[in-house]
Amino acid sequence: MKKTLTMRLLAIVLCVAMLATVTPIFAAAETTITEVTITNADITPVLGEKKNDHLAYTLPEGAPYYKYNSGANNWLASPSESGDTFVEGVTYSRFISLEAADGYLFDENTVITVNGTLFEGAFNVYRWLDDGGKYLTILMPGVTLSKEQITSIDITDADITPIIGDEA
């Protein structure tokens, strides 16, 4: 009887120990990120300036996503060019890449606001979801850089009378 009772107690202790170490079979449900807000985003290329000087943006404090520092935080040039400054005749589009915090995912319905402008659907902005929604890459609309050529200047009501003593 003593041996049977000891065996039963030992079996109960072992079962409790095994249950305590078993990993849960079902993972917790992920929360969908419904809105992404990006402010102070530098999305306008400037002719002659360095591309890397135009990569800044800000995310809200406590947001369930953060900057994903990959090659996707960069500029896409069309036609392709590999210089480090913005050049004339090239269309530049800005990539911004985000990573969802643990327990969160982006989806195709996530609303994107950049610098106060709401971007909806593929008409304004392109987006890619990677790793089941863990990463969101945004491609902003392109801007083509060109120098403006002045062909004429219209001057009205100008005083063109020479002042005595001024050199011509």
Side-chain angles (χ1 to χ4, degrees):
M1 173 88 171
K2 227 178 187 185
K3 187 176 181 182
T4 308
L5 183 59
T6 305
M7 292 300 283
R8 285 185 182 174
L9 285 174
L10 182 58
I12 290 172
V13 169
L14 287 174
C15 284
V16 169
M18 285 177 29
L19 286 175
T21 61
V22 172
T23 319
I25 296 173
F26 301 102
E30 304 281 352
T31 302
T32 300
I33 298 170
T34 58
E35 183 177 349
V36 166
T37 302
I38 301 169
T39 57
N40 303 314
D42 194 341
I43 57 173
T44 306
V46 179
L47 188 63
E49 293 190 11
K50 291 188 177 289
K51 295 175 194 172
N52 286 341
D53 291 344
H54 292 272
L55 295 176
Y57 62 94
T58 306
L59 301 176
E61 191 171 322
Y65 49 89
Y66 47 91
K67 295 178 182 181
Y68 180 60
N69 294 319
S70 69
N73 280 317
N74 214 327
W75 293 92
L76 172 68
S78 178
S80 181
E81 59 86 21
S82 59
D84 63 348
T85 59
F86 295 111
V87 296
E88 182 179 10
V90 175
T91 300
Y92 292 95
S93 300
R94 174 68 197 278
F95 278 111
I96 297 176
S97 191
L98 305 173
E99 181 175 355
D102 288 340
Y104 292 87
L105 292 175
F106 301 103
D107 74 8
E108 64 279 351
N109 297 313
T110 300
V111 175
I112 301 167
T113 303
V114 179
N115 295 344
T117 300
L118 177 65
F119 289 92
E120 297 180 277
F123 297 108
N124 316 78
V125 67
Y126 295 98
R127 67 178 83 201
W128 291 269
L129 295 171
D130 294 321
D131 198 14
K134 180 70 174 170
Y135 303 96
L136 171 66
T137 300
I138 304 161
L139 178 61
M140 303 299 298
V143 175
T144 302
L145 295 182
S146 63
K147 292 181 184 176
E148 290 186 33
Q149 183 177 1
I150 300 173
T151 56
S152 67
I153 299 175
D154 185 15
I155 301 174
T156 57
D157 298 326
D159 184 0
I160 58 171
T161 306
I163 299 175
I164 297 175
D166 281 355
E167 293 185 26

